[in-house]
Structures are given as structure tokens and as C-alpha cells.
């Protein structure tokens, strides 16, 4: 198995996600993999830990569904994909229904997550979910890549691409608002689901002069989350001060759940790259660029 496969194997064999994150970080430290782009990729790979697929019909399931808390397996003979020809480093994780889970969510499905690394350190996540029910029933789910970005100082971070959009505020019972700020910056707890977002979002880390570019497909919404100090302290698996150095931005499908009939398949994709902070925000929206002439 290649190195990526080995890291992913370590990630999926243990249940406590953020704990494993620390484990893998230390493993990588020992391996002296200091090339910054690679470390970036690894950090992003750790974000897989937060992948959540909410498979849910009615009744109460665990927060954000059960798929993220299950042990996924590695497909040792993954199908080739034309878009991954230049990215030989990829691994496919698969999850399928179990008899146990069918007691709480009575559907058959196949989930496949392809994790691919580009030659310059880009991380590409592609998910496919197929309804394999044999009883003719459709099912519905929500989806998000719960991606934690490492930032130098959260108070110096700006997110671009979400200005003026409507959002659901999870801190206000999911009430709908319109973003009024010219620039999205952070000075307190935030937990928002931006709706109908553009396909590109940028997270600018001023202090490090680095911008993360997030590109997505099939995932119309974007969650932005930082617990800030008080909530961080109340979370057992989150360091008291870690909120200063993280921002969670998630390509997601939250407002309108996805429904699949038997035999249907859904595909979603998130790609992340790091670019120097000379990055021009207008690259986010080609239309905006055109309109400004
Ligand atoms: O601790 P968890 O379950 O991984 O969730 C962390 C956060 O994840 C974000 O995706 C949610 O919007 C927040 O509401 C949540 O608090």
C-alpha cells in the first residue's frame, strides 16, 4: 500500500477523530516530512477526519448522522478515473450499509470517497453515494466535508466569496439572514451555513501570506465554523486555545437534502490548494471580473 494509503489506514482504524489527528501529525513529524506543501496536504488530509455524511430519514440519529463515525475500508483495487490519471497518489475509502445500521436507517447504499493528491500538493476529495435499495425506496441525506484549515491567527483571517449571501445561523436556531459585512472576518464564535455559494471560496491567512483556495462541485452550500474560546473550552476533544489557529470551512449540501432513487448516484467534489497571498480575490468569480471590465 502506498504511503497515503497507510496514513489513511491509520486514520480510519480509530474512532476518536481529533485524537487521531494528533497521532498522525506526530507520525509525520517522526518521518521528517518537512516539505511545506506536503505538510499542507497532510493537514488537509486530516480534515477527512471531519468528513460527515448525514444519512438520515426520520427519528434521531447521532449528530450529523452515523457515516462519519463508522470504520470505512480501503478499496485495494479502485476503479481508474480519467480525471485522476495525472494524480497517481489516490486512495478510495468505501462504506456500505451494515445489518446493524439498517436497524436505525433502513436503506442500502454504497459510499465511495476518493482522496487524491496533485503533484503540487492539491488535495482532491470526490465522493459518490449510490442508492442500492432493492425495495424501491428512495433515501435522502445531507453532506459536508468538515474541513479544518490551520491558520496562523484567526483574528487576521478573511474569507472571500461569501459576501452578501444568505446564510442560516446555527447560533440562532438556524434562522436565515443575509451577510452584511463587506469582508468576512472573525472576532467571536461563528457557525453559519452560507447558501447557494460560488464554486470557489478563499481563506486568506494574512500573517502567513498564504491563501487556501477551496473549489467545489455538487455542494451548493458552505459551512463556516469557529467555536471561539468559551465553546472550545467546553469541547472535550478540542484544545482550549486551538480556536485561534483554525477555521472550519466546509463544502456542503445542507439546505436542500439530496434524494436518490434506487440505482441513482450522487457525486460531490472538494479541492483545496494553497497559493501565495498575492492571490487576487477576483479570481474567485470570473463573472465579477468580466462585469468590472
Ligand atoms: O464536534 P463536531 O460534532 O465535529 O462538530 C463541530 C462543529 O462542526 C460544524 O460543522 C458545525 O457547523 C458546528 O455546529 C459543530 O459544532
Amino acid at each position: 500500500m502506498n504511503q497515503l494509503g497507510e496514513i489513511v489506514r491509520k486514520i480510519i482504524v480509530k474512532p476518536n477523530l481529533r485524537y487521531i489527528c494528533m497521532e498522525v501529525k506526530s507520525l509525520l513529524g517522526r518521518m521528517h516530512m518537512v516539505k511545506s506543501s506536503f505538510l499542507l496536504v497532510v493537514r488537509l488530509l486530516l480534515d477527512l477526519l471531519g468528513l460527515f455524511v448525514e444519512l438520515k430519514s426520520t427519528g434521531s440519529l447521532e449528530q450529523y448522522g452515523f457515516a462519519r463515525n463508522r470504520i470505512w475500508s480501503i478499496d485495494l483495487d479502485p476503479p481508474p478515473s480519467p480525471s485522476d490519471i495525472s494524480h497517481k497518489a489516490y486512495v478510495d475509502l468505501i462504506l456500505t450499509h451494515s445489518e446493524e445500521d439498517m436497524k436505525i436507517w433502513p436503506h442500502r447504499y454504497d459510499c465511495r470517497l476518493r482522496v487524491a493528491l496533485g503533484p503540487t500538493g492539491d488535495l482532491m476529495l470526490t465522493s459518490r453515494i449510490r442508492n442500492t435499495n432493492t425495495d424501491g425506496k428512495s433515501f435522502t441525506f445531507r453532506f459536508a466535508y468538515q474541513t479544518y484549515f490551520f491558520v496562523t491567527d484567526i483574528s487576521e483571517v478573511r474569507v472571500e466569496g461569501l459576501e452578501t449571501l444568505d446564510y442560516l445561523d446555527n447560533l440562532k436556531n438556524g434562522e436565515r439572514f443575509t451577510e452584511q459585512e463587506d469582508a468576512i472576518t472573525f472576532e467571536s464564535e461563528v457557525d453559519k451555513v452560507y447558501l447557494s455559494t460560488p464554486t470557489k471560496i478563499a481563506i486568506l491567512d494574512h500573517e502567513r501570506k498564504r491563501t487556501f483556495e477551496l473549489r467545489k462541485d455538487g455542494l451548493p452550500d458552505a459551512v463556516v465554523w469557529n467555536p471561539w474560546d468559551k465553546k472550545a473550552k467546553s469541547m472535550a476533544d478540542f484544545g482550549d486555545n486551538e480556536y485561534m489557529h483554525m477555521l472550519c470551512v466546509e463544502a456542503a449540501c445542507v439546505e436542500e437534502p439530496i434524494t436518490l432513487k434506487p440505482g441513482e448516484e450522487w457525486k460531490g467534489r472538494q479541492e483545496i490548494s494553497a497559493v501565495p497571498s498575492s492571490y487576487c480575490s477576483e479570481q474567485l468569480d470570473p463573472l465579477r471580473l468580466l462585469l468590472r471590465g
Side-chain angles (χ1 to χ4, degrees):
M1 187 182 301
N2 64 25
Q3 200 167 53
L4 180 61
E6 177 59 18
I7 292 169
V8 173
R9 190 188 65 77
K10 283 188 189 299
I11 288 173
I12 61 176
V13 290
K14 288 200 197 167
N16 182 328
L17 302 180
R18 274 185 277 259
Y19 168 75
I20 300 166
C21 188
M22 302 311 295
E23 284 278 284
V24 179
K25 265 195 264 182
S26 106
L27 167 86
L28 291 167
R30 289 200 298 276
M31 289 161 75
H32 301 296
M33 291 175 179
V34 290
K35 203 172 159 229
S36 59
S37 63
F38 186 76
L39 281 182
L40 160 72
V41 164
V42 169
R43 190 177 283 281
L44 297 174
L45 178 59
L46 300 179
D47 299 330
L48 267 184
L49 304 174
L51 169 81
F52 69 78
V53 184
E54 183 183 20
L55 292 170
K56 183 173 186 173
S57 52
T58 52
S60 63
L61 294 175
E62 52 224 82
Q63 155 137 307
Y64 302 129
F66 58 80
R68 69 172 181 163
N69 296 326
R70 295 297 174 267
I71 294 181
W72 294 51
S73 16
I74 293 179
D75 185 349
L76 295 174
D77 188 18
S81 136
S83 61
D84 287 325
I85 281 172
S86 59
H87 315 121
K88 291 219 172 64
Y90 67 81
V91 63
D92 277 22
L93 301 178
I94 42 184
L95 180 73
T96 191
H97 50 87
S98 67
E99 290 308 315
E100 200 51 37
D101 283 344
M102 283 185 70
K103 291 181 196 153
I104 53 169
W105 199 70
H107 296 291
R108 291 170 192 273
Y109 62 89
D110 281 333
C111 275
R112 176 175 295 271
L113 168 67
R114 173 157 297 181
V115 185
L117 297 181
T120 55
D122 294 1
L123 176 69
M124 284 143 283
L125 304 173
T126 308
S127 297
R128 293 170 185 275
I129 299 179
R130 174 177 285 276
N131 181 336
T132 56
N133 272 335
T134 49
D135 58 5
K137 289 199 180 125
S138 300
F139 64 65
T140 293
F141 62 95
R142 294 187 171 83
F143 188 99
Y145 289 113
Q146 196 189 35
T147 314
Y148 290 19
F149 290 93
F150 174 78
V151 293
T152 321
D153 175 359
I154 184 68
S155 57
E156 297 289 323
V157 167
R158 194 171 84 235
V159 173
E160 291 189 353
L162 304 176
E163 308 82 356
T164 72
L165 296 182
D166 281 3
Y167 64 88
L168 308 177
D169 195 337
N170 285 336
L171 301 179
K172 294 184 178 149
N173 296 319
E175 215 181 309
R176 191 180 182 116
F177 297 92
T178 301
E179 189 57 74
Q180 304 293 345
E181 304 297 329
D182 288 343
I184 295 170
T185 53
F186 302 90
E187 52 187 26
S188 59
E189 183 182 358
V190 58
D191 192 353
K192 296 177 176 176
V193 183
Y194 288 90
L195 306 172
S196 305
T197 58
T199 53
K200 286 186 193 173
I201 298 169
I203 298 125
L204 285 78
D205 182 340
H206 288 299
E207 213 162 306
R208 189 164 291 207
K209 298 186 173 37
R210 177 172 72 182
T211 295
F212 292 109
E213 186 185 287
L214 186 158
R215 299 174 298 278
K216 60 192 181 65
D217 192 29
L219 294 160
D221 306 323
V223 180
V224 176
W225 175 67
N226 183 297
W228 221 252
D229 54 347
K230 235 160 130 194
K231 188 165 279 173
K233 286 200 178 91
S234 72
M235 294 169 71
D237 58 354
F238 197 98
D240 288 1
N241 294 321
E242 277 179 4
Y243 77 94
M244 295 177 188
H245 306 295
M246 68 80 75
L247 181 66
C248 177
V249 180
E250 316 170 15
C253 183
V254 176
E255 192 189 30
E256 298 277 345
I258 302 146
T259 297
L260 292 179
K261 293 189 190 130
E264 282 184 343
E265 184 178 81
W266 167 86
K267 182 178 164 192
R269 194 169 164 85
Q270 174 176 279
E271 294 185 3
I272 298 167
S273 8
V275 292
S277 55
S278 54
Y279 180 86
C280 168
S281 56
E282 285 182 329
Q283 291 171 13
L284 284 174
D285 184 353
L287 188 64
R288 207 193 298 178
L289 200 60
L290 278 177
L291 289 176
R292 285 192 189 170

